[in-house]
Amino acid sequence: MLPDQQFLRIPGPTPIPPSVNGAMSQPMIGHRDQETNDLLHTIKPKLKPVFGTDQDVLIISGSGTAGLEAAVVNAVQPGDEVLVIVTGAFGDRFAQICTEYGIATHRIDIEWGEAIEPESIQEYLKKHPDIKAVFATFCETSTGVLNPVQEVGQVIQQHSDALFIVDGVSGIGGVNMEMDAWGIDILITGSQKALMLPPGLTFMAVSERAWNVIEKNDRPSFYFDLTKYRDQLANDSTPFTPALSLLFGLKQVLELLDQEGLETTFSRHRQMMNMTRAAFQALSIPLLTNAQAASPTVTAIKADDFDPDTLRNVLKNEFGLLTAGGQKHLKGRIFRIGHMGYCSPADILQTISIIEIALNKIGKPIELGKGTRAAQEIMLSGGS
Ligand SMILES: *Cc1c(COP(=O)(O)O)cnc(C)c1O
């Protein structure tokens, strides 16, 4: 193992492309100078297709959770009722933010590892017509589930006037998203997942309907007042000093996405998911989610007859390969592989073949190459 080589296969932060690292090391510029306006002017139109929206995408310095909190603070009035659909740790975080602000928070809890069934919320919305906003997670990073937010959006539109607010943090940039067409009113992501940047930025897009609610909201906010960001961004500017180095990097990320083509980016992610899933299936090691619910950006693997954290220690200490463990009640029961952003099918082959060695080292004997071969077959056939 090389002392400075690391294979970062956790579901965020993710590896940074060398050209993005290069862009971020540019000298600082004045945040009120024309150079910053030009930078935002270039970035603005290129973010829209990543979100699938005609709205400007707001950029705020802060981690993804800052965006989640900003959505709650701006869109939910004191005294409102909301519904949070919880499919794992990040859905739970949305619910905690709402509760913290004294909002009457209904939750639908779905077993971790499973996706939302859109019909299941229909009854709930009918029974609780005062619900003003429904919160959901696109990719539930703690379980590797991709929730069918398009179908959920349809159900909400048919049965309620509630806003639909979606945490897209580990999906946007790796998975197709059509915010406007799917009836999503607020969509949030962060910089350190599929967007190939260091942590530090949160991105938010807001529908016309949601702006109407936000403008009438009496809940106080200052740094998170989204109307400030919207009004400044209309003039290619920001209300406060932006994280300029991250914006230099973002410009280059959007250039890379343009070069690859978003459709190709999305099919690359599906291929990495298929390779990862096929590998563990070939090794007879069960996956947490079924194929229909699986996310193209992260895969959770069940460790029924070995200790996932012992495996992760060997991977890290002997091979420099970083994977993630389980969260909350899945701790010690699963491990997770992130395959999003600056990650290719070739990286997945390497990841799988190293894991095969490490499994043997921790006393879980498997036939070397069996999982790698299954992944190779998918790569050879171009399966995505
Ligand atoms: C990573 C992540 C977040 C944001 O976490 P931060 O640590 O605040 O950046 C939120 N939601 C999901 C689904 C995530 O994967």
Side-chain angles (χ1 to χ4, degrees), residues 49-50 173-176 196 253-270:
V50 180
V175 188
N176 184 41
M196 306 185 271
V253 163
L254 293 167
E255 179 62 37
L256 291 176
L257 288 176
D258 258 3
Q259 277 174 24
E260 187 180 21
L262 272 183
E263 277 312 312
T264 312
T265 306
F266 300 150
S267 67
R268 168 168 55 85
H269 282 82
R270 286 194 303 272

Side-chain angles (χ1 to χ4, degrees), residues 54-333:
D54 290 333
Q55 303 288 335
D56 279 343
V57 178
L58 315 177
I59 307 169
I60 303 172
S61 307
S63 84
T65 307
L68 305 187
E69 182 159 349
V72 172
V73 172
N74 280 266
V76 186
Q77 312 254 9
D80 278 357
E81 275 180 50
V82 303
L83 169 63
V84 185
I85 312 173
V86 179
T87 53
F90 289 101
D92 186 61
R93 183 172 299 182
F94 245 155
Q96 281 180 40
I97 297 170
C98 291
T99 313
E100 193 70 37
Y101 278 96
I103 294 160
T105 309
H106 301 265
R107 1 180 344 150
I108 296 182
D109 274 276
I110 286 153
E111 186 166 333
W112 289 31
E114 285 174 18
I116 303 169
E117 280 183 29
E119 313 77 53
S120 69
I121 62 168
Q122 189 169 320
E123 283 305 303
Y124 205 93
L125 290 174
K126 278 195 203 150
K127 245 193 257 163
H128 301 275
D130 291 334
I131 287 173
K132 293 287 182 350
V134 178
F135 292 86
T137 316
F138 186 29
C139 170
E140 177 48 78
T141 321
S142 62
T143 61
V145 160
L146 188 76
N147 281 304
V149 293
Q150 176 177 11
E151 289 77 6
V152 174
Q154 268 167 7
V155 170
I156 296 171
Q157 281 189 329
Q158 280 163 12
H159 300 281
S160 138
D161 291 325
L163 295 178
F164 185 27
I165 301 175
V166 175
D167 171 354
V169 176
S170 61
I172 305 301
V175 188
N176 184 41
M177 163 54 69
E178 302 290 340
M179 173 184 167
D180 294 351
W182 298 353
I184 296 172
D185 292 292
I186 302 184
L187 178 64
I188 304 126
T189 195
S191 49
Q192 80 275 25
K193 306 279 170 90
L195 287 179
M196 306 185 271
L197 285 165
L201 293 181
T202 184
F203 302 85
M204 303 179 70
V206 179
S207 72
E208 275 314 323
R209 244 160 59 89
W211 281 123
N212 291 335
V213 172
I214 290 171
E215 270 159 5
K216 292 193 199 95
N217 196 345
D218 330 310
R219 191 190 293 283
S221 66
F222 187 83
Y223 185 77
F224 283 143
D225 177 357
L226 294 181
T227 62
K228 288 190 180 108
Y229 291 87
R230 176 195 61 187
D231 296 347
Q232 291 294 324
L233 192 58
N235 301 316
D236 299 327
S237 187
T238 56
F240 313 111
T241 315
L244 285 160
S245 303
L246 292 171
L247 295 185
F248 297 148
L250 175 61
K251 183 181 167 195
Q252 177 57 21
V253 163
L254 293 167
E255 179 62 37
L256 291 176
L257 288 176
D258 258 3
Q259 277 174 24
E260 187 180 21
L262 272 183
E263 277 312 312
T264 312
T265 306
F266 300 150
S267 67
R268 168 168 55 85
H269 282 82
R270 286 194 303 272
Q271 186 175 76
M272 295 192 292
M273 166 185 76
N274 290 335
M275 289 170 69
T276 307
R277 292 180 63 85
F280 288 97
Q281 278 161 343
L283 294 170
S284 304
I285 297 176
L287 301 162
L288 182 65
T289 65
N290 66 30
Q292 219 205 334
S295 170
T297 53
V298 52
T299 298
I301 297 114
K302 280 192 189 168
D304 291 343
D305 55 1
F306 60 93
D307 177 17
D309 298 318
T310 307
L311 174 72
R312 290 177 50 239
N313 282 336
V314 170
L315 290 171
K316 179 172 185 221
N317 299 330
E318 295 187 30
F319 303 100
L321 173 63
L322 269 71
T323 54
Q327 287 171 277
K328 307 261 177 84
H329 66 274
L330 291 179
K331 201 167 171 49
R333 294 178 48 202

Side-chain angles (χ1 to χ4, degrees), residues 354-369:
I354 294 172
I355 290 173
E356 288 182 329
I357 299 171
L359 281 167
N360 277 290
K361 286 204 170 205
I362 65 159
K364 159 83 182 154
I366 50 105
E367 188 188 325
L368 283 181

